[in-house]
């Protein structure tokens, strides 16, 4: 039933999806609860304390959810609505032939970003099975894009990442997911310690690949998306905390460009049961 509804939604025009999604997002936010409290707390941590900002951010989350099936099922039509801030940077980075590590935070439309990058060369990304089994066929169809290679989120997937780099290809990751305690370090994110994955940094250093942080800004009135890019300076720090801090700072830079489109309701400051103690000052 849910998959059928998503397929139906994918047929709607993008402006209608965004308007409907924003309305649903604001409606969900209107009800008191954990989601509302977390969104407000995370926004305030980053310096956004206007109640109107909270509502707009919730609306953008709704727009992100409703646009996703359209991006999955009609990628070419969506790609026709994409612009990029620095195509020359992307092409020059690929021309180095070392492969590229793309880090895409929960900002804007991260589904369209991967599909755009495939146009520059093969891209390997990790996936997790959906919580609702009924969505699996839809997600499989969404991953059936020439040049897009989806691998499981485990050690097999990590080995596939290394193999892609050795072939001079690109890899895409979400850098702001909370890792398990043994796979992360505490690094500041908007001034508060956040458990940050070390896998991205390890892969970049060991494979000697450039790192580009990227995100697709959702444009007003359903006009499409504008892809932002930011390449990390090299050489990358050897210290895991310093490198994680650099990655978090780069994400903050992109988020500040269109802050309402960050997924503020995500539990970014979660403390896993096996996490190391939170330091009083995580800055290296």
């Amino acid at each position: 039933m849910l998959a059928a509804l998503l397929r139906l939604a994918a047929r709607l025009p993008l402006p209608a999806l965004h308007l409907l999604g924003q309305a649903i997002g604001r409606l969900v936010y209107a009800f008191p609860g954990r989601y509302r409290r977390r969104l407000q707390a995370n926004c305030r941590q980053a310096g956004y304390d206007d109640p109107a900002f909270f509502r707009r951010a919730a609306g953008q989350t709704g727009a992100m959810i409703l646009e996703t099936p359209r991006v999955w099922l009609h990628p070419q039509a969506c790609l026709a609505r994409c612009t990029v801030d620095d195509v020359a940077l992307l092409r020059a980075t690929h021309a180095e032939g070392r492969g590229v590590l793309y880090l895409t935070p929960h900002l804007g439309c991260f589904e369209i970003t991967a599909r755009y990058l495939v146009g520059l060369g093969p891209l390997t990304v990790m996936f997790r099975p959906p919580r609702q089994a009924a969505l699996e066929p839809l997600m499989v169809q969404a991953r059936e894009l020439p040049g897009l290679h989806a691998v499981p989120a485990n050690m097999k997937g990590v080995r596939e990442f290394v193999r892609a780099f050795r072939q001079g290809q690109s890899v895409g990751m979400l850098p702001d997911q909370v890792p398990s305690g043994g796979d992360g370090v505490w690094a500041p994110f908007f001034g508060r310690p956040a458990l940050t994955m070390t896998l991205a940094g390890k892969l970049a250093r060991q494979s000697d690949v450039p790192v580009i942080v990227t995100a697709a800004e959702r444009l007003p009135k359903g006009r499409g998306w504008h892809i932002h890019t930011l390449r990390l300076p090299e050489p990358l720090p050897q210290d895991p905390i310093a490198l994680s801090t650099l990655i978090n700072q780069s994400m903050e830079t992109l988020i500040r460009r269109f802050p309402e489109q960050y997924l503020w309701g995500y539990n970014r400051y979660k403390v896993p049961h096996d996490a190391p103690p939170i330091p009083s000052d995580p800055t290296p």
Side-chain angles (χ1 to χ4, degrees):
M1 180 63 178
L2 179 58
L5 289 175
L6 292 178
R7 291 182 186 277
L8 181 61
R11 298 180 181 179
L12 296 176
L14 189 61
L17 288 172
H18 284 173
L19 284 175
L20 181 59
Q22 289 173 24
I24 294 175
R26 290 171 181 253
L27 179 62
V28 172
Y29 172 79
F31 291 92
R34 182 171 56 183
Y35 167 73
R36 179 187 174 104
R37 293 193 300 271
R38 182 181 295 153
L39 183 147
Q40 292 177 350
N42 288 346
C43 288
R44 290 192 174 106
Q45 179 63 42
Y48 304 106
D49 56 2
D50 183 355
F53 181 92
F54 303 155
R55 293 190 293 271
R56 292 195 298 268
Q60 289 295 330
T61 297
M64 179 270 294
I65 293 172
L66 281 200
E67 76 187 357
T68 297
R70 184 166 181 83
V71 174
W72 282 355
L73 300 179
H74 303 285
Q76 296 308 318
C78 290
L79 287 171
R81 291 174 174 260
C82 285
T83 57
V84 188
D85 65 350
D86 198 341
V87 176
L89 170 67
L90 296 178
R91 291 176 177 169
T93 305
H94 276 263
E96 295 177 16
R98 295 189 285 156
V100 185
L101 175 58
Y102 286 105
L103 300 181
T104 306
H106 291 89
L107 175 64
C109 183
F110 34 93
E111 292 288 347
I112 196 65
T113 306
R115 284 152 181 80
Y116 177 85
L117 296 175
V118 167
L120 300 171
L123 178 70
T124 301
V125 298
M126 280 187 174
F127 75 94
R128 297 180 185 275
R131 294 181 180 179
Q132 299 191 27
L135 293 180
E136 180 67 19
L138 188 64
M139 293 188 66
V140 169
Q141 180 179 350
R143 293 195 297 264
E144 291 178 349
L145 190 68
L148 183 62
H149 181 40
V151 299
N154 52 31
M155 285 307 301
K156 179 181 178 181
V158 174
R159 289 192 291 269
E160 290 293 325
F161 277 178
V162 175
R163 182 178 305 170
F165 286 142
R166 289 175 178 170
Q167 296 174 352
Q169 298 178 359
S170 301
V171 164
M173 299 179 64
L174 290 166
D176 53 349
Q177 286 185 318
V178 178
S180 58
D183 299 321
V185 295
W186 293 104
F189 185 63
F190 289 112
R192 178 180 174 184
L195 194 63
T196 305
M197 70 161 64
T198 55
L199 176 60
K202 288 178 181 177
L203 287 172
R205 288 197 312 270
Q206 293 173 3
S207 299
D208 187 30
V209 297
V211 179
I212 291 181
V213 182
T214 180
E217 178 184 6
R218 187 174 305 107
L219 300 178
K221 300 180 181 180
R223 295 202 308 268
W225 303 269
H226 182 71
I227 297 176
H228 297 253
T229 56
L230 179 64
R231 179 167 172 170
L232 298 192
E234 296 180 74
L236 297 173
Q238 292 292 321
D239 178 71
I241 297 179
L243 182 49
S244 297
T245 299
L246 175 62
I247 291 173
N248 282 354
Q249 289 173 342
S250 300
M251 286 193 292
E252 289 181 24
T253 297
L254 284 193
I255 293 168
R256 295 289 190 197
R257 294 182 185 179
F258 45 109
E260 293 170 354
Q261 295 185 24
Y262 188 61
L263 202 64
W264 295 108
Y266 176 60
N267 193 7
R268 182 64 187 90
Y269 299 104
K270 177 181 178 181
V271 181
H273 68 89
D274 56 349
I278 302 177
S280 56
D281 182 8
T283 305

